[in-house]
Amino acid sequence: MKRKREGKEGMDNIVWQTPANPPHPNDYVFRNGIRYVRPYYFEFIAHVKNRWAGKTIVDLFAEEFKGRPYEYYVSAVKCGRIQVDGEMVPVSYIVKSSQKISHFLHRHEPPVMACEVPVLQKDIDVLTVCKPASVPVHPCGQYRKNTVVGILQAEHGLTPLFPVHRLDRLVSGLLILARNAAKADIFRQQIEAGLVHKQYIAKVGGEFPEDEVIVDANIDYNAREGRSTAEVRGSAKGKAASTKFTRISTNGTQSIVLCEPITGRTHQIRVHLQYSGHPIANDMLYISEQTVDRSVKGLSADRSARISDVSLTSNFNEKVLNECEENSNGDFGIDPMCTNCPNLAPKGYDSDEEGLWLHCIRYSGPGWTYECPYPDWAKLG
């Protein structure tokens, strides 16, 4: 629920949101084909881990949450935007194991493409939608309201929702959501038992072979770089993975390929297509062997969500206040302590991105099948 906090340096009369606050249609701002979230005040809560105990509150934040400079955390503790067990503490305060620490932030969510989330089928226990590219499925990292689950709650009043399977942020297509925990558990058991058949389509570079291609290559995911590599079957690296590919059409330059993953590894279809010599035609992460910096390019939601290229100088508050009149258009209020104001999006995120040419078209299991229409890019000229 929303809570008001009293304190110094602008803490008075601020309404702080928690995860209990549902998204609302008015939370979104649409500009030039991009969906933004109006920045809002949010309370992040964590409990002191054993390895954090014995550190000062400022050192803890500066060492564990490196997205902001040391000076910011000093100011945040002094003005009460960082608290311990609901109380203001001095910057020299030593934290103890299991204590509750709160960080009150002016939260800026990354932008996504301004696409609707079309409902394909709505039953008592199951909801299926066509997930647009660039939108994460559920809250993760810096994304909370700009997610499929958040948008469905805000614009359709649909809650609770339990995603049955995952789709990468830049992937589009069929998304199945259970409407209760019991139905979600049934789907989970079927997936774990290997009873669910998954089908995607991709637009790849080159003329894909006419005969069916099966790629058996281990997938080794590097969380730090946000990308996977394919290893020869039998390699000690990575997890076993297998994908079946069938060409649907080709114009000699590009091909539309049916992709049927037998296992479910991170970026499996993308890296197996690269391994086959026919990467997805607009997949900059796997077209090149060079690792792309997703914190700037926006190609990995999870990686980007952990990185914020921000700087705070001694005259930061004055700078923001001076820019307020020039940049604010009434969409949201400027917070003088915020390292992202006066912009709608957080620093380090590029709103100029496109979705991958990878689209989920069908999931089927014991006695059920759900489908999604093909995207426009699946037609080769």
Side-chain angles (χ1 to χ4, degrees):
M1 63 181 187
K2 296 184 179 181
R3 297 161 38 175
K4 288 189 176 181
R5 286 276 178 179
E6 300 283 333
K8 302 177 183 178
E9 303 290 336
M11 289 288 283
D12 295 345
N13 301 318
I14 291 177
V15 178
W16 300 97
Q17 295 188 27
T18 72
N21 295 111
H24 188 275
N26 291 336
D27 292 339
Y28 301 99
V29 177
F30 298 90
R31 293 182 182 173
N32 303 317
I34 303 297
R35 179 194 290 263
Y36 296 89
V37 174
R38 282 189 175 85
Y40 54 98
Y41 289 98
F42 189 80
E43 179 184 2
F44 285 93
I45 297 173
H47 288 84
V48 177
K49 302 176 182 179
N50 288 334
R51 65 183 177 85
W52 295 355
K55 296 182 179 181
T56 69
I57 185 67
V58 173
D59 286 345
L60 186 161
F61 272 88
E63 294 172 11
E64 299 292 335
F65 306 98
K66 298 181 179 180
R68 289 173 171 80
Y70 189 90
E71 292 79 6
Y72 165 82
Y73 292 121
V74 171
S75 298
V77 171
K78 287 182 176 178
C79 75
R81 291 208 179 182
I82 292 177
Q83 299 182 6
V84 178
D85 290 333
E87 302 292 337
M88 294 179 63
V89 296
V91 294
S92 59
Y93 182 85
I94 305 295
V95 300
K96 305 175 185 65
S97 181
S98 299
Q99 284 184 308
K100 171 188 163 185
I101 52 176
S102 297
H103 188 189
F104 300 92
L105 275 177
H106 194 231
R107 185 168 182 173
H108 292 240
E109 293 196 25
V112 299
M113 291 190 286
C115 302
E116 295 183 9
V117 182
V119 174
L120 302 173
Q121 186 170 337
K122 183 164 68 172
D123 297 327
I124 294 176
D125 292 329
V126 181
L127 178 79
T128 66
V129 302
C130 184
K131 174 194 171 305
S134 87
V135 185
V137 171
H138 53 73
C140 59
Q142 292 194 39
Y143 296 89
R144 177 172 165 257
K145 299 180 180 182
N146 247 354
T147 62
V148 172
V149 170
I151 293 169
L152 287 172
Q153 185 173 6
E155 298 183 353
H156 297 273
L158 293 166
T159 186
L161 295 173
F162 303 84
V164 169
H165 59 102
R166 69 172 185 262
L167 292 177
D168 287 347
R169 186 177 66 87
L170 294 181
V171 176
S172 60
L174 176 69
L175 179 65
I176 306 170
L177 304 109
R179 302 188 68 182
N180 56 68
K183 188 65 175 180
D185 193 55
I186 291 173
F187 279 121
R188 179 189 60 78
Q189 292 178 36
Q190 292 177 354
I191 291 173
E192 290 179 353
L195 301 176
V196 176
H197 184 210
K198 302 165 279 187
Q199 293 180 301
Y200 296 71
I201 58 169
K203 181 191 284 189
V204 305
E207 185 172 347
F208 200 83
E210 185 175 2
D211 295 334
E212 177 182 284
V213 174
I214 296 179
V215 174
D216 289 312
N218 288 9
I219 298 292
D220 185 26
Y221 179 66
N222 186 320
R224 182 170 184 174
E225 293 185 354
R227 74 196 305 264
S228 293
T229 54
E231 308 291 339
V232 178
R233 174 71 79 176
S235 169
K237 295 180 64 178
K239 297 179 180 180
S242 181
T243 313
K244 181 171 71 174
F245 299 106
T246 307
R247 191 178 81 186
I248 297 174
S249 62
T250 185
N251 60 9
T253 302
Q254 295 177 328
S255 302
I256 302 299
V257 177
L258 176 66
C259 314
E260 300 174 274
I262 299 168
T263 51
R265 309 303 183 197
T266 302
H267 295 184
Q268 176 174 317
I269 294 174
R270 297 167 66 180
V271 74
H272 274 181
L273 282 169
Q274 180 201 43
Y275 186 83
S276 76
H278 298 273
I280 296 172
N282 70 340
D283 191 349
M284 299 310 297
L285 184 58
Y286 290 107
I287 286 176
S288 171
E289 289 294 330
Q290 295 180 345
T291 302
V292 179
D293 183 359
R294 268 81 57 207
S295 67
V296 175
K297 299 300 183 184
L299 291 179
S300 170
D302 293 334
R303 170 107 171 113
S304 296
R306 294 194 297 268
I307 299 177
S308 179
D309 181 19
V310 298
S311 61
L312 186 68
T313 60
S314 59
N315 64 346
F316 174 78
N317 290 1
E318 181 180 355
K319 174 178 178 291
V320 169
L321 291 172
N322 289 339
E323 290 181 348
C324 175
E325 294 182 1
E326 300 175 10
N327 294 281
S328 179
N329 58 8
D331 284 334
F332 68 98
I334 303 296
D335 182 87
M337 276 200 66
C338 179
T339 57
N340 290 307
C341 282
N343 301 311
L344 268 171
K347 290 182 174 66
Y349 283 85
D350 185 359
S351 60
D352 183 20
E353 66 177 0
E354 63 175 335
L356 280 178
W357 288 336
L358 178 61
H359 184 87
C360 181
I361 59 169
R362 187 177 298 107
Y363 260 61
S364 57
W368 57 267
T369 298
Y370 297 107
E371 297 180 332
C372 184
Y374 281 34
D376 292 340
W377 53 254
K379 302 171 185 176
L380 292 177

